[in-house]
Amino acid sequence: MGLLLKRALDQAAVWHRSQRRKYPSVDVPYVSHLAGVAVILARHGFDEEVVAAGALHDVIEDQGVTFADLAARFGERVATLVKMATEQDRSAPWEERKKRYLEAFPTKPWEAQAITLADKIDNFQSIIVCAMDHGDPWAMFKRGRDLQLDRFDELGRLCAVLPKHPLVDEYAEALAAVRQV
């Protein structure tokens, strides 16, 4: 991995500097999640642009960064992958946004699906670490444990039709582990 990823991680840290993870008793900067997603993608052999898009995957959705700004800084492919990983209508209710995101998942290219899976895997790992070290993670979610797990299960069902890949297997394993929390 080279300078593109380093630039992406640095810029993601700047854009997300005031954002925190959902841990009940500790202040964890959001960049921990972004680095986690990038590490998962890199571990599975994705190229630097995909890994950089993983590090930047929440900047449009959470920080209001524009597609044009992303494309100018990191290239068209990175910006396109970030856009594909982004919920498109943030004004819709949570349930509707999540439903639309899942409906669109099968139509996305593999690299965008991989970013989604890495995002969820890191979220699962954060839930597990939170439970081990910091307290009840589910209390931090407005919709609670059951609705979150239902959404994760639906994504798992959508993964069943994907070609075999270790990332898909890791998603299933991480989901099974987070169900134990």
Side-chain angles (χ1 to χ4, degrees):
M1 297 288 148
L3 291 179
L4 176 66
L5 178 57
K6 176 61 178 156
R7 289 178 51 242
L9 283 167
D10 284 357
Q11 191 59 52
V14 170
W15 281 330
H16 289 278
R17 67 181 158 266
S18 63
Q19 199 172 353
R20 298 293 181 258
R21 293 297 281 160
K22 292 180 180 179
Y23 284 25
S25 65
V26 65
D27 183 23
V28 176
Y30 197 74
V31 72
S32 168
H33 170 59
L34 306 172
V37 172
V39 166
I40 291 166
L41 292 165
R43 186 166 31 86
H44 284 284
F46 288 92
D47 67 55
E48 188 173 27
E49 288 180 319
V50 175
V51 177
L56 295 162
H57 77 276
D58 278 334
V59 298
I60 293 174
E61 189 173 306
D62 292 349
Q63 301 305 319
V65 175
T66 66
F67 177 88
D69 191 14
L70 271 178
R73 289 174 186 253
F74 300 104
E76 191 78 21
R77 182 170 179 237
V78 170
T80 298
L81 287 168
V82 171
K83 185 176 179 181
M84 287 180 183
T86 300
E87 290 180 359
Q88 297 306 310
D89 181 5
R90 296 287 291 172
S91 67
W94 184 88
E95 290 80 1
E96 183 64 28
R97 291 193 331 261
K98 302 306 178 185
K99 179 182 176 209
R100 288 181 193 161
Y101 190 83
L102 287 172
E103 287 171 350
F105 179 81
T107 68
K108 295 177 182 179
W110 166 239
E111 290 84 1
Q113 292 171 333
I115 292 168
T116 294
L117 295 177
D119 174 28
K120 301 312 177 226
I121 291 166
D122 186 76
N123 284 338
F124 297 164
Q125 292 170 346
S126 291
I127 289 168
I128 293 165
V129 167
C130 183
M132 290 171 52
D133 296 341
H134 306 295
D136 178 19
W138 298 111
M140 303 301 292
F141 293 90
K142 293 177 187 168
R143 304 301 191 287
R145 181 182 188 275
D146 293 338
L147 280 177
Q148 294 291 342
L149 288 174
D150 287 348
R151 184 172 57 92
F152 302 147
D153 287 338
E154 179 61 27
L155 182 57
R157 285 188 287 279
L158 294 171
C159 288
V161 301
L162 295 176
K164 292 287 290 171
H165 192 279
L167 183 63
V168 176
D169 297 338
E170 185 175 349
Y171 179 86
E173 292 163 9
L175 177 56
V178 85
R179 286 189 147 292
Q180 303 305 312
V181 175

